[in-house]
């Protein structure tokens, strides 16, 4: 009698395929498009440019309010693997405020996170988006196919 283990693996593999016919990796992280070697450095450079831009203007804009210590965390985009079309981009932030309770000496902390979506056109291709964001003022450049910028998305979010 043959062991049943290999057949069980085959059934498990077939049952784990998506029902709509898509492969398991229809969408990938932009950092790995078109390959990890080709995408990683370019995307990280754009992210660093965005962070520098945010830090340069934060004190005069977003960081004037209750959460004056906002920190940019990650800028991430999902990309359709076959076409290079960007599904969405989200930039995450964190900030906090702390107050001393003068009666008890306890510190009350209010810490928050934000997930800000970039206002992208539905047909945006990653190479075109990256080319736009490689400009000197990446925060304020109009995103491909829209009059909006990353900054516009941040003002709606933060």
């Amino acid at each position: 009698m043959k062991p049943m283990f290999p057949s069980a693996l085959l059934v498990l593999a077939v049952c784990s395929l998506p029902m709509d016919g898509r492969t398991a990796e229809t969408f990938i992280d932009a950092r790995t498009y078109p390959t990890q070697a080709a995408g990683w450095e370019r995307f990280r450079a754009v992210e660093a440019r965005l962070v520098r831009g945010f830090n340069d203007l934060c004190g005069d804009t977003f960081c004037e309010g209750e959460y004056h210590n906002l920190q940019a965390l990650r800028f991430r985009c999902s990309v359709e693997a076959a076409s290079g079309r960007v599904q969405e981009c989200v930039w995450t932030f964190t900030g906090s405020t702390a107050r001393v309770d003068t009666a008890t000496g306890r510190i009350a902390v209010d810490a928050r996170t934000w997930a800000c979506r970039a206002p992208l056109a539905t047909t945006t291709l990653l190479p075109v988006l990256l080319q736009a964001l490689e400009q000197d003022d990446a925060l304020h450049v109009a995103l491909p196919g829209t009059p909006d910028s990353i900054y516009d998305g941040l003002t709606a979010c933060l």
Side-chain angles (χ1 to χ4, degrees):
M1 184 169 164
K2 289 186 173 183
M4 297 292 284
F5 187 71
S7 298
L9 282 178
L10 179 61
V11 170
L12 179 61
V14 171
C15 290
S16 66
L17 291 175
M19 297 292 285
D20 61 5
R22 295 184 304 172
T23 63
E25 290 191 350
T26 300
F27 294 97
I28 59 173
D29 189 309
R31 295 165 196 219
T32 62
Y33 182 85
T35 66
Q36 184 165 354
W40 187 263
E41 290 302 319
R42 188 174 186 197
F43 193 89
R44 292 286 292 164
V46 164
E47 181 182 37
R49 182 181 298 275
L50 289 170
V51 170
R52 277 192 307 276
F54 178 81
N55 290 339
D56 288 347
L57 65 84
C58 187
D60 296 330
T61 56
F62 305 111
C63 298
E64 285 186 331
E66 186 174 357
Y67 301 96
H68 62 276
N69 63 348
L70 287 175
Q71 296 292 312
L73 297 177
R74 286 281 180 220
F75 182 69
R76 277 292 182 63
C77 297
S78 62
V79 177
E80 190 174 40
S83 68
R85 184 185 59 81
V86 180
Q87 178 68 16
E88 75 174 338
C89 293
V90 174
W91 197 358
T92 54
F93 295 84
T94 190
S96 67
T97 186
R99 293 181 179 80
V100 174
D101 183 325
T102 57
T104 66
R106 297 195 65 99
I107 299 175
V109 176
D110 180 14
R112 291 204 44 205
T113 59
W114 291 264
C116 302
R117 284 180 169 56
L120 298 173
T122 58
T123 57
T124 303
L125 296 176
L126 182 63
V128 176
L129 175 63
L130 293 177
Q131 183 178 15
L133 295 178
E134 288 168 338
Q135 305 304 313
D136 287 336
D137 191 2
L139 281 179
H140 291 96
V141 68
L143 296 170
T146 78
D148 299 320
S149 66
I150 296 286
Y151 181 84
D152 295 324
L154 295 181
T155 58
C157 178
L158 299 174

